[in-house]
Amino acid sequence: EITADGAGLSPYVEVTPHIRTGASVGAAVTLSKPSCKVIIVPGSTEPGATRRINTGGISLKFLQTLR
């Protein structure tokens, strides 16, 4: 966890995934609610098997997106 000081400055922090090309050095940023925006790869879903009321073995592939 990183905390900014009263002036809004913080120590160096590693950002993953890396910041896109073209970002301005020294620009102000807001970091909140970490998340991963993704899309499901079409045709990659497997429904799994249902036994009584439980379903298991469901699978899918996803790609991270910046949309």
Side-chain angles (χ1 to χ4, degrees):
E1 183 174 308
I2 302 218
T3 304
D5 63 18
L9 301 174
S10 67
Y12 288 103
V13 60
E14 181 177 344
V15 178
T16 304
H18 299 294
I19 298 170
R20 292 185 288 205
T21 302
S24 300
V25 174
V29 297
T30 300
L31 304 174
S32 63
K33 296 184 182 179
S35 64
C36 178
K37 293 182 180 182
V38 300
I39 57 170
I40 296 174
V41 174
S44 72
T45 58
E46 296 291 334
T50 301
R51 292 195 178 100
R52 296 189 187 215
I53 61 169
N54 295 320
T55 301
I58 297 171
S59 68
L60 58 93
K61 293 181 182 179
F62 66 90
L63 295 172
Q64 185 175 6
T65 179
L66 299 175
R67 289 191 254 165

